[in-house]
Amino acid sequence: MTTSWIDSFFGLSRLPLDIRAELGVGSEIVSMPIGTKVFAPGQSNDTLLLLLEGTVRVQQRSETGKEVILYRVNAGESCVMSTACMLAYEDYSADGIAETDVKAVAIPRSTFDGLVAKSSVFREFVFSAYSRRMTDLFKLIDDLIFQRVDVRLASRLLSLADTLGEVRATHAALATELGTAREVISRTLSEFQRREWVAQSRGVVRITQREALERLVRSSGGEV
Amino acid sequence: MTTSWIDSFFGLSRLPLDIRAELGVGSEIVSMPIGTKVFAPGQSNDTLLLLLEGTVRVQQRSETGKEVILYRVNAGESCVMSTACMLAYEDYSADGIAETDVKAVAIPRSTFDGLVAKSSVFREFVFSAYSRRMTDLFKLIDDLIFQRVDVRLASRLLSLADTLGEVRATHAALATELGTAREVISRTLSEFQRREWVAQSRGVVRITQREALERLVRSSGGEV
DNA sequence: ACCCGTTTGGTGACCAAGTCACACACGCCT
DNA sequence: AGGCGTGTGTGACTTGGTCACCAAACGGGT
C-alpha cells in the first residue's frame, strides 16, 4: 500500500481500513527544500501537513522586525497552524519555515473535512494536535515571564545540541530562539564559557559540561 | 423553540434545522456563580461551553505561585480550552474561572462529537474558535517580548474601563493581568497619575485623560 | 467608637535584562 | 593586500523584576 506512512503518526495507527484508504487516495506526499515557506501570513495554504521527515520552525515576526520562535513541528507531528490558515482567521503574523529539507503528507482541505466528518480517530488526532500546540504556547509564555535567560539558554542549548554536543548557531540565532537580544546571549555564553560549561567558536557552541547545564535547568524547576 | 440562543453565536447562525434541533436537545443551559472554576488542570471537564452571559478568565499558574491571564472568553464565544481538556492532553496549568456570574450552554462530549461529524458549519465554528485562541496567544507573546509595560498597562486600562472610565482592580490584579510585578504597576500608575492621565483611589483607577493613554498605545504600534 | 488583623499601596536598594553605540575579529572574494 | 559582510565583545544606560520593608485604608468584632 502507498499508505504505509500512516503508522508513523501515533494517533492515526488505529484508523480503520476504509478511512486509511480514503486518506491515502486523497493526500499527496510532497518534498520541500530547506528554507521553504510552509505557510505565511498572506498566503492562504489549503492543506494540512503531516511531517514525515525534517522539521518546520514556526516563528512570529513583529512590526519592528524582531522575531521569536514559537515552536517546532517535528517528524511524526502535524502542522495544525496551517489548518487555522485554511480558515484564514484574521491576520496573524506567524509563519512556518522548513528548517531542513522536509518530506510531508499534504492533505487538501476537502479530504481533511471529509475525514474529520467520518472518523472519530481522525478527529481525536486533529484536536489533540491543537491542544498540543496550545500547551506548547502556554509553556513558552510561562518561560518568557518566569524563567531567567541563563536557564532558558542552557535548556535550549541542550535540546539543540547534536550527538557530539555541538550547537551550530550564531548568537543572533540563539537570541531569536529565546526572544531576547543578541548581547544578552553573548554575555550569558561568556559566563558559561568562563565556568567552562561550553566552548565557543564562530557560529558554534560546544557543550563541555552537559551535567552543569542540566543542573542549572533543573535547579529552576525545568525539565530536560 | 428552546434553541433561540443559537443565533447569539456568529458562526452557528447558518446551522441547518436538523442540526439545530440536535444541538438543542443534546445540550443544556447552565448557570454558574462568580468565582466558579470552569475548568482546571486536574479536573476533567467533559463539556464544551458556549458563553451566553458573563466572562471567563483563563489564566496560568506557575509552580512559584505567580500567574498570568492568558485571555478572556466573552459572551458569544466558546471556551475551546475545555475541549482540549476533554482530551486531557498532558498536564497543562491553565485554568478557567468565572469572572462574573455566567450563563452558558454546556455541550457534552457525545453531542459535540456527533455535531462535528455531521455539520460542516459546526466544524468551522469549532476550528475558527481554536485559531481565534491561538492568535490571542500569539498576540500575548508578542506583547510580552516587544512591548513596554507602560504601553501594555495603558492598553489594558482602556479595555478594562467601564463607561465612566473607571477600572475596578487592585495593583496586584493589574500585575497579574500583564504578567508583571505589583511594584511595577504601582510605579507606572504613579507616573500616569503625575501626568494627570489617571486618578487613583484604593482599588480603583479612574481614567482622566483617555486621549493621552490612547496616544501612548498608538505611538508603539498598538491598536485600541 | 475603638481595636486589631488584613488588604492595599508606596519606597529604596539592588539585580537582571534589553538597548544603543560602538569596536574588533574572522573569512572570503577579487 | 585591501575591502566587504557577518559574527562577536563591551561599556554605559534604561527598563523591568525582586526583596524587604512600612504606612495607610478598610472591615469586622465587641
Side-chain angles (χ1 to χ4, degrees):
Chain A
M1 280 304 299
T2 93
T3 55
S4 55
W5 54 263
I6 287 183
D7 291 307
S8 310
F9 296 88
F10 178 69
L12 296 182
S13 54
R14 289 176 300 121
L15 279 181
L17 283 179
D18 54 334
I19 302 289
R20 292 171 90 101
E22 181 167 345
L23 180 51
V25 172
S27 67
E28 191 189 357
I29 292 184
V30 296
S31 290
M32 294 177 289
I34 182 171
T36 307
K37 279 206 176 180
V38 177
F39 60 91
Q43 155 199 357
S44 153
N45 188 327
D46 252 25
T47 61
L48 166 66
L49 287 185
L50 308 185
L51 282 207
L52 293 168
E53 289 168 20
T55 62
V56 171
R57 172 165 35 91
V58 178
Q59 62 190 17
Q60 175 159 229
R61 209 179 308 276
S62 90
E63 320 84 41
T64 62
K66 290 176 289 191
E67 48 189 30
V68 217
I69 294 184
L70 297 171
Y71 57 82
R72 287 191 165 78
V73 184
N74 297 303
E77 298 177 339
S78 65
C79 189
V80 280
M81 268 314 299
S82 54
T83 70
C85 252
M86 288 183 193
L87 303 167
Y89 181 82
E90 285 191 26
D91 54 338
Y92 48 85
S93 36
D95 49 2
I97 292 175
E99 206 167 32
T100 63
D101 288 345
V102 160
K103 200 160 90 176
V105 182
I107 305 181
R109 171 155 203 171
S110 56
T111 305
F112 173 79
D113 205 56
L115 289 171
V116 170
K118 281 177 209 152
S119 166
S120 69
V121 172
F122 191 78
R123 276 199 290 281
E124 208 165 294
F125 175 74
V126 170
F127 284 121
S128 99
Y130 263 100
S131 42
R132 168 73 181 277
R133 292 310 162 207
M134 283 263 188
T135 55
D136 284 353
L137 293 179
F138 289 174
K139 180 72 172 52
L140 174 58
I141 289 168
D142 206 81
D143 279 6
L144 284 173
I145 297 182
F146 300 121
Q147 283 287 31
R148 297 169 44 96
V149 295
D150 54 356
V151 175
R152 300 210 293 130
L153 177 56
S155 165
R156 194 57 70 107
L157 286 175
L158 289 168
S159 76
L160 289 177
D162 60 22
T163 47
L164 299 164
E166 286 196 348
V167 179
R168 220 155 289 273
T170 66
H171 292 187
L174 290 170
T176 299
E177 290 273 346
L178 303 185
T180 180
R182 205 238 339 137
E183 296 92 318
V184 176
I185 299 292
S186 290
R187 285 199 270 261
T188 309
L189 279 178
S190 299
E191 178 60 19
F192 285 178
Q193 189 171 39
R194 199 188 59 72
R195 300 189 196 168
E196 298 183 337
W197 294 357
V198 305
Q200 294 188 70
S201 54
R202 180 170 254 245
V204 182
V205 180
R206 192 160 47 78
I207 296 175
T208 52
Q209 284 188 229
R210 168 174 278 269
E211 267 303 313
L213 292 176
E214 285 170 349
R215 218 178 311 121
L216 175 62
V217 173
R218 266 196 298 272
S219 72
S220 301
E223 308 90 49
V224 173
Chain B
M1 279 307 297
T2 95
T3 55
S4 55
W5 55 262
I6 288 184
D7 292 306
S8 310
F9 295 89
F10 178 69
L12 296 182
S13 53
R14 289 177 298 121
L15 278 181
L17 282 180
D18 54 334
I19 302 290
R20 293 170 89 100
E22 180 167 346
L23 181 50
V25 172
S27 68
E28 190 188 357
I29 293 185
V30 296
S31 291
M32 295 179 288
I34 182 172
T36 307
K37 280 205 175 181
V38 177
F39 59 91
Q43 154 200 359
S44 152
N45 187 329
D46 253 24
T47 60
L48 166 65
L49 287 185
L50 308 185
L51 282 209
L52 294 168
E53 290 168 21
T55 63
V56 171
R57 172 164 34 93
V58 178
Q59 62 190 16
Q60 176 159 226
R61 208 179 307 276
S62 92
E63 320 83 41
T64 61
K66 291 174 288 189
E67 47 188 31
V68 216
I69 294 185
L70 297 171
Y71 57 81
R72 288 192 165 77
V73 184
N74 297 302
E77 299 178 338
S78 65
C79 188
V80 280
M81 269 314 300
S82 54
T83 71
C85 250
M86 288 183 193
L87 302 166
Y89 181 80
E90 286 190 27
D91 54 336
Y92 49 85
S93 36
D95 49 2
I97 292 175
E99 206 167 30
T100 62
D101 288 345
V102 159
K103 202 160 90 175
V105 182
I107 305 181
R109 171 155 202 171
S110 55
T111 304
F112 174 79
D113 205 56
L115 289 171
V116 170
K118 281 177 207 151
S119 165
S120 68
V121 172
F122 191 78
R123 275 199 290 281
E124 208 165 294
F125 175 74
V126 170
F127 284 122
S128 98
Y130 263 100
S131 41
R132 167 73 181 277
R133 292 309 161 207
M134 284 264 189
T135 55
D136 285 353
L137 293 179
F138 289 175
K139 180 71 173 52
L140 174 58
I141 290 169
D142 205 82
D143 279 6
L144 283 172
I145 298 182
F146 301 120
Q147 283 288 31
R148 296 169 46 95
V149 296
D150 53 356
V151 175
R152 302 211 291 131
L153 178 57
S155 165
R156 194 56 70 105
L157 286 175
L158 289 168
S159 76
L160 289 178
D162 60 21
T163 48
L164 299 164
E166 286 196 348
V167 179
R168 221 154 288 273
T170 66
H171 293 188
L174 291 170
T176 299
E177 290 273 345
L178 302 185
T180 181
R182 203 235 343 136
E183 296 92 318
V184 177
I185 299 292
S186 290
R187 285 198 274 260
T188 309
L189 279 179
S190 300
E191 180 59 20
F192 285 178
Q193 188 170 39
R194 199 187 60 72
R195 299 188 198 169
E196 298 183 337
W197 293 358
V198 304
Q200 294 188 71
S201 54
R202 179 172 253 243
V204 182
V205 180
R206 193 161 45 79
I207 297 176
T208 52
Q209 285 189 227
R210 168 174 278 268
E211 267 304 312
L213 293 176
E214 285 171 348
R215 217 178 312 122
L216 174 62
V217 174
R218 267 196 300 271
S219 74
S220 301
E223 308 91 48
V224 175

